[in-house]
Amino acid sequence: MTSLPTNQTNTKLGLVIDLDICVGCHACAVNCKEWNAGGHSAPMTDWNTYSGTENKNGEDSGAWGVWFNRVHTFEVGKGQESKTVYFPRSCLHCDEPACVTVCPTGASYKREEDGIVLVNPDTCIGCKLCSWACPYGAREYDETDGVMKKCTLCIDKIYNENLDEIDRVPACVATCPAGARSFGDLGDPNSDVSRLVEDRGGYDLMPELDYRPVNKYLPPREPQINVLDDGQPLSLVSMADNANQTDPSNNSILKWVDTILSR
Amino acid sequence: MHPAFSVIIFTSLSGAGYGSLAILAAVKYFDFFALNPLYGFFSSAISLLIVTVGLISSTTHLGHPRRAWRALSQWRSSWLSREGVFAVLSYLPAGVFCVSFLIPTPFNSIIDIICLLTIAFSLATVFCTAKIYASLKTIRQWNHLLVVPVYLIIGLFDGAIFLMLLLTIIDGLQFFQLNYFIIFLGAVAGLAKILYWWSIDSTQSQSNTSTATGLGSSNKSVSMLDAPTTSETFIMREMGFAIARKHSRRLRLITILTLSIIPIIIIFLMTQPIALVSPMVLGIIAILFSYFGTIIERWLFFAEAKHVAMLYYGASKV
């Protein structure tokens, strides 16, 4: 049934991603692939894996495959004031998931009990319409299986009673070496993740489209210390200016040595 | 958006087939002109055949064509499902309508109901096809008021030219009111497309890299520094089609000429007594142009559509 559940519970499992902490190491994406290649939506197929074999006419667009998690890098601001922000992106398990309602077969669905959005690979016809309906580019088509695949929030891990309780978190959260990802119930205002969102001003991606994503992003913090207090140069430009002072052409002794040695 | 050939063939063929079925049923219902039973049978049968070829074509882009029947189940929420349901249902009245030309029935009221159902289901199917695109908030160029009217008008236009051509072939005659109706539809189609292009060129998406990442502000731009992979992802292959954009002006001109202006001139010439070429030959030329124009129009419809997900992959605006 691709109509959204009418008796949805208040539980909204999801992720909180801290853009202040993320160091862009891609470990979340890699461990996601690792776990899910044997999980609910397995396999996660790759094509042209060794490159150089895709087209007979010699063109090669490189190795590619199905990933549920991608780490983008953005430049915010320009010039000296610019900041590099690493930006992990995966399914946001929206409250208004158009990817679910456009599905003609009922293969895409949103779970009543926890709000996780899943695809049933046995009934998906591979029409790709759900990937068109998703603004976040979260769904990827598996050319080999002929079905659409997406983040499952590691449903086969977070409820897995064979694992120790501490391990019952999505693979991306478990592996993040910086602790930039948190998992929990965003429907419960008193949960750790909800408090984190509250404290840090967590926000929705593309709120103007009204998909009401469950996953939240935390903004990078403003710098707490003035670099000048630390004796560091204000900017690379002034550092380069200072470096220029020791250039042989500006120092008569060094200039003389340079002239001697250059003979 | 990547223009899938099977989808272009499907939307253009089924549009024309349903368009001609709807017009033929309207001619019969309102008794606009006397239909020769042989003409009625052949034109409705060929229309159904065209629709069927289109529907089969649409299943070839599926990952699992043999599961296509499942697409009939979610009509409550999905326009794609509704399209499938109407497409299947339309075979009933259209089939009876087609056969009714061969087996005369004394129950004219039943035929009237069959005509009305044929009109309704044919137009409903094209309406649902257009709604699949028009309902996507992720693509500004599709989520537009003119998308549904343009699909309907072009379907009726191609279908009407097809009916007129068969009239010259099977009955060897012309019904000028049909020609004037086609000229009207062609002009409306051309004007609607011009208005649509002007509108998508002069409006902007609410979404940009700033809202997509939540990182920008009025004095801070957000641009992609590094893509997540060195090669193209599925999203980039499916949504990131940009080949046509640099030729879009020229392709728009070709669309207007071949879809609207040239067929209108030819069909006007057919109504003139001075025509040097037989109406049948003119009709064939007209339909070749209008169908070519429809294919280019549909191809541009995909190629000019920009998906918001591309904001994560280096697009500065959509």
Side-chain angles (χ1 to χ4, degrees), chain B residues 269-289:
Chain B
L269 283 180
M270 290 172 75
T271 64
Q272 300 306 305
I274 45 142
L276 298 171
V277 195
S278 80
M280 192 176 88
V281 173
L282 284 175
I284 290 172
I285 297 171
I287 199 150
L288 287 178
F289 268 107

Side-chain angles (χ1 to χ4, degrees), chain B:
Chain B
M1 298 295 292
H2 177 77
F5 187 65
S6 62
V7 176
I8 291 172
I9 293 295
F10 161 64
T11 61
S12 55
L13 279 184
S14 72
Y18 286 123
S20 86
L21 276 173
I23 292 171
L24 194 66
V27 168
K28 172 104 176 160
Y29 180 80
F30 293 107
D31 210 13
F32 283 138
F33 58 91
L35 288 172
N36 166 8
L38 203 63
Y39 168 72
F41 172 76
F42 273 112
S43 28
S44 52
I46 298 172
S47 299
L48 270 174
L49 189 72
I50 291 172
V51 165
T52 309
V53 171
L55 287 172
I56 291 169
S57 158
S58 77
T59 63
T60 60
H61 87 288
L62 299 179
H64 287 275
R66 279 188 291 176
R67 292 180 188 168
W69 60 273
R70 289 185 184 276
L72 302 176
S73 66
Q74 302 303 312
W75 48 269
R76 286 181 197 82
S77 72
S78 166
W79 284 106
L80 176 51
S81 187
R82 286 169 198 160
E83 177 202 39
V85 170
F86 277 117
V88 171
L89 285 181
S90 68
Y91 277 95
L92 280 170
V96 175
F97 177 65
C98 176
V99 174
S100 74
F101 285 104
L102 294 186
I103 309 162
T105 161
F107 308 112
N108 274 330
S109 57
I110 293 181
I111 296 297
D112 277 354
I113 293 170
I114 291 293
C115 287
L116 289 177
L117 287 175
T118 304
I119 297 168
F121 284 8
S122 300
L123 296 181
T125 312
V126 180
F127 179 85
C128 293
T129 305
K131 270 304 239 184
I132 294 171
Y133 305 102
S135 65
L136 295 173
K137 282 195 283 187
T138 46
I139 300 161
R140 176 175 67 89
Q141 292 83 355
W142 289 359
N143 192 2
H144 192 285
L145 271 179
L146 281 173
V147 166
V148 172
V150 164
Y151 265 71
L152 284 167
I153 292 164
I154 291 180
L156 289 171
F157 175 64
D158 285 341
I161 297 179
F162 172 70
L163 283 180
M164 179 212 62
L165 172 64
L166 282 187
L167 205 58
T168 63
I169 294 175
I170 297 174
D171 284 358
L173 55 84
Q174 288 194 78
F175 184 72
F176 287 160
Q177 265 80 350
L178 188 58
N179 291 45
Y180 299 140
F181 182 55
I182 294 169
I183 291 170
F184 169 73
L185 286 174
V188 174
L191 289 175
K193 277 314 285 189
I194 290 169
L195 189 62
Y196 167 80
W197 287 323
W198 172 79
S199 171
I200 62 169
D201 285 349
S202 58
T203 49
Q204 272 192 334
S205 173
Q206 300 171 274
S207 304
N208 49 49
T209 51
S210 211
T211 66
T213 60
L215 293 169
S217 59
S218 55
N219 55 354
K220 270 190 205 159
S221 62
V222 179
S223 56
M224 191 181 76
L225 201 58
D226 266 330
T229 73
T230 51
S231 60
E232 290 192 326
T233 66
F234 163 75
I235 296 294
M236 296 163 82
R237 287 162 197 252
E238 183 79 359
M239 325 287 178
F241 189 82
I243 295 170
R245 286 182 199 150
K246 71 173 175 179
H247 301 303
S248 72
R249 300 280 148 184
R250 194 166 293 170
L251 286 167
R252 285 176 180 186
L253 189 65
I254 292 173
T255 304
I256 287 297
L257 281 174
T258 57
L259 178 73
S260 182
I261 294 173
I262 294 174
I264 285 177
I265 292 170
I266 295 172
I267 286 156
F268 176 73
L269 283 180
M270 290 172 75
T271 64
Q272 300 306 305
I274 45 142
L276 298 171
V277 195
S278 80
M280 192 176 88
V281 173
L282 284 175
I284 290 172
I285 297 171
I287 199 150
L288 287 178
F289 268 107
S290 80
Y291 191 64
F292 176 78
T294 307
I295 298 263
I296 301 290
E297 186 271 336
R298 242 5 86 82
W299 194 77
L300 262 181
F301 178 70
F302 276 85
E304 291 193 307
K306 297 176 189 171
H307 196 284
V308 289
M310 291 313 292
L311 291 170
Y312 295 109
Y313 286 98
S316 54
K317 59 177 182 153
V318 286

